[in-house]
């Protein structure tokens, strides 16, 4: 399958700082990228959908000013968690796909711990 | 009601046995269907797409029943390495991915 690379895999940051997570499609151009959050023993929760060159569409309850998403190219999307707090600690996963009804491929995930 | 519903399990399966489970979806306009597996603390990985006519990939068989709005996954000759959470994924008519909460399978020696 296609390869999606996500970095960093693990990050620990201090409360109040910002963290940037990168998601890259390595061998295909991703028209759409998704960002998810997963708390322990819970299902994936979609945070936002981003299409290259346009503003991200955020799910209800997700603060767009706190979770900044940039999708500047067909192979790169970034998620910045601004002014992180301990309750933002979670597993963040990106996914990417080529077309509307094609399968999605996932990055390795980023485990964020805010102390 | 959730868009995609799955029995959370766990399904405890002796090694070598067969296990099957379903996933129901609420949107009759759903376009595409997939099964993913997710290991603990890892990202989901595509297991297989689900086609209208049903499809098989080795020990895994997926079926789609549009009339009753469910998809199924059957695992034959279960291996210890099949222990994972299996996620049902459905795309709606806008192409948005809808995830089930997952079915946990535990294969025991």
């Amino acid at each position: 399958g296609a390869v999606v690379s996500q970095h960093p895999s693990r990050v620990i940051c201090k409360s109040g700082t910002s963290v940037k997570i990168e998601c890259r499609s390595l061998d295909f151009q991703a028209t759409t990228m998704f960002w998810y959050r997963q708390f322990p023993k819970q299902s994936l929760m979609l945070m936002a959908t981003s299409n290259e060159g346009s503003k991200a569409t955020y799910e209800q309850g997700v603060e767009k000013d706190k979770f900044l998403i940039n999708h500047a190219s067909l192979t790169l999307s970034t998620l910045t968690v601004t002014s992180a707090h301990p309750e933002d600690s979670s597993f963040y996963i990106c996914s990417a796909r080529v077309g509307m009804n094609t399968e999605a491929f996932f990055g390795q995930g980023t485990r964020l711990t805010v102390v | 009601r959730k868009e995609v519903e799955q029995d959370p399990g766990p399904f405890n399966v002796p090694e070598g046995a067969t296990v099957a489970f379903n996933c129901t979806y609420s949107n009759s306009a759903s376009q595409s269907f997939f099964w993913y597996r997710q290991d603990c603390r890892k990202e989901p990985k595509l297991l297989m797409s689900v086609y209208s006519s049903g499809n098989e990939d080795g020990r895994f068989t997926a079926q789609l029943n549009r009339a009753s709005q469910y998809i199924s996954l059957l695992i034959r000759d279960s291996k210890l390495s099949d222990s994972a959470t299996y996620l049902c994924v459905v795309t709606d008519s806008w192409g948005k991915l809808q995830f089930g909460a997952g079915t946990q399978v535990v294969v025991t020696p």
Side-chain angles (χ1 to χ4, degrees):
Chain A
V3 178
V4 175
S5 177
Q6 185 175 341
H7 292 281
S9 58
R10 188 180 296 269
V11 59
I12 301 172
C13 71
K14 288 186 179 178
S15 189
T17 61
S18 294
V19 174
K20 181 187 278 190
I21 303 169
E22 286 192 353
C23 180
R24 293 180 186 271
S25 55
L26 297 187
D27 51 1
F28 68 103
Q29 293 187 323
T31 54
T32 308
M33 286 188 171
F34 304 89
W35 287 96
Y36 297 86
R37 183 165 52 181
Q38 187 175 35
F39 293 104
K41 298 191 177 181
Q42 293 188 23
S43 60
L44 288 165
M45 290 172 47
L46 179 64
M47 299 175 68
T49 302
S50 77
N51 293 298
E52 183 264 341
S54 60
K55 288 185 180 180
T57 302
Y58 289 81
E59 295 299 300
Q60 194 171 14
V62 179
E63 301 172 58
K64 61 178 71 174
D65 295 329
K66 180 169 181 65
F67 298 100
L68 301 179
I69 291 172
N70 184 281
H71 192 164
S73 77
L74 284 170
T75 59
L76 173 65
S77 177
T78 61
L79 167 68
T80 301
V81 183
T82 62
S83 187
H85 291 287
E87 57 265 30
D88 298 325
S89 299
S90 187
F91 190 47
Y92 292 85
I93 311 176
C94 71
S95 73
R97 65 181 187 192
V98 175
M100 198 172 80
N101 287 306
T102 60
E103 63 269 43
F105 297 95
F106 287 83
Q108 300 92 326
T110 297
R111 194 159 300 281
L112 171 64
T113 303
V114 185
V115 297
Chain B
R1 184 185 171 187
K2 290 182 182 176
E3 297 273 351
V4 180
E5 298 209 52
Q6 294 183 249
D7 182 340
F11 284 69
N12 294 298
V13 187
E15 196 174 3
T18 297
V19 62
F21 42 88
N22 293 340
C23 159
T24 58
Y25 59 95
S26 60
N27 187 347
S28 60
S30 296
Q31 300 285 323
S32 304
F33 309 87
F34 308 96
W35 282 106
Y36 284 74
R37 69 170 279 167
Q38 185 175 26
D39 294 293
C40 190
R41 301 170 73 87
K42 298 279 189 176
E43 79 278 16
K45 293 191 174 170
L46 179 67
L47 180 65
M48 58 198 300
S49 302
V50 185
Y51 304 121
S52 297
S53 54
N55 48 300
E56 189 174 303
D57 183 359
R59 298 179 294 107
F60 298 86
T61 301
Q63 297 278 354
L64 166 64
N65 186 317
R66 283 195 183 271
S68 300
Q69 294 183 202
Y70 73 87
I71 65 172
S72 64
L73 181 67
L74 182 144
I75 308 174
R76 283 188 304 279
D77 187 23
S78 298
K79 311 289 185 193
L80 295 176
S81 57
D82 294 334
S83 296
T85 296
Y86 290 84
L87 303 174
C88 169
V89 181
V90 175
T91 62
D92 64 19
S93 49
W94 290 275
K96 188 174 175 180
L97 294 168
Q98 303 285 353
F99 280 81
T103 295
Q104 187 183 6
V105 172
V106 179
V107 182
T108 55

